Amino acid sequence: MNALTTGVIGLTECAIRELRAEEIFLLDDFLYEAIFIPEGVEAPDREIIEQPELKLYYDNFGTGSADFSFVADVDGKVIGAVWTRIMNDYGHVDDATPSFAISLYKEYRGQGIGTKLMKEMLALLKEKGYKKASLAVQKANYAVKMYKNVGFKIVDENAEEYIMVCEL
């Protein structure tokens, strides 16, 4: 499998490995899964990921200098992904800082898999010479705690979101 790391996380045996070229299409799914839906709010139609401000997270992925992705693989099934690219997204801080996107299928959340994905990506970005990474997250999203735990700090905010940066 050529996994970077393998281990039992929660009750799930999970391998973290690089996204394969033939799996890039999965980023569409994981971008949709990454949309935070507050309790009691109906999920948007899947077509929302075709909007220009969201499409930039996956369109032509693999062509940019900071286009990196790892996936969480359980028994040959990709159940989560983390990816970065330098883009003018919600978490953009400057043209030298990769922005993060991360998502897991709901049934695999809360088991430490997202933390493992984040740590692997932060280590890679540091190894590649990046000085920091950024992301945007809705204030009500439970993932804020995980982002803080892996080293992200709030550097800006608006009414709904935090802009967070991790110094590498």
Side-chain angles (χ1 to χ4, degrees), residues 18 28 43 78 83 91-92 96 137 147 151 153:
E18 290 184 14
D28 298 20
V78 175
W83 67 103
H92 180 80
V137 59
Y147 298 146
K153 293 180 176 32

Side-chain angles (χ1 to χ4, degrees), residues 7-166:
V8 177
I9 300 175
L11 300 175
T12 305
E13 185 168 335
C14 181
I16 306 299
R17 62 171 175 80
E18 290 184 14
L19 177 77
R20 298 178 186 128
E22 67 271 14
E23 296 172 323
I24 288 175
F25 73 93
L26 292 172
L27 297 182
D28 298 20
D29 272 349
F30 286 111
L31 180 62
Y32 183 74
E33 289 293 320
I35 298 170
F36 177 69
I37 313 296
E39 187 134 347
V41 174
E42 189 173 327
D45 289 334
R46 185 163 163 65
E47 290 77 38
I48 194 170
I49 67 167
E50 295 296 326
Q51 293 183 1
E53 65 271 19
L54 294 177
K55 194 171 185 172
L56 59 86
Y57 283 88
Y58 63 87
D59 201 27
N60 295 314
F61 188 84
T63 61
S65 61
D67 286 5
F68 303 111
S69 182
F70 292 124
V71 296
D73 183 311
V74 174
D75 297 326
K77 176 186 176 192
V78 175
I79 55 92
V82 62
W83 67 103
T84 62
R85 64 187 336 191
I86 294 176
M87 57 186 157
N88 193 10
D89 69 327
Y90 300 110
H92 180 80
V93 294
D94 62 47
D95 291 339
T97 301
S99 296
F100 264 78
I102 184 170
S103 180
L104 297 167
Y105 290 129
K106 287 178 183 61
E107 61 268 30
Y108 294 95
R109 295 178 187 168
Q111 299 179 43
I113 298 168
T115 298
K116 189 76 175 148
L117 284 167
M118 293 291 290
K119 287 179 177 180
E120 291 287 351
M121 184 59 74
L122 290 168
L124 176 70
L125 292 174
K126 185 174 183 173
E127 175 185 311
K128 296 284 186 184
Y130 290 96
K131 303 296 181 209
K132 58 187 172 180
S134 67
L135 59 82
V137 59
Q138 288 188 302
K139 292 177 177 180
N141 191 325
Y142 60 88
V144 171
K145 181 179 178 188
M146 185 260 293
Y147 298 146
K148 287 180 177 179
N149 287 342
V150 298
F152 281 84
K153 293 180 176 32
I154 298 167
V155 296
D156 199 4
E157 65 182 279
N158 58 38
E160 294 182 9
E161 293 181 320
Y162 294 124
I163 306 302
M164 301 180 80
V165 169
C166 181

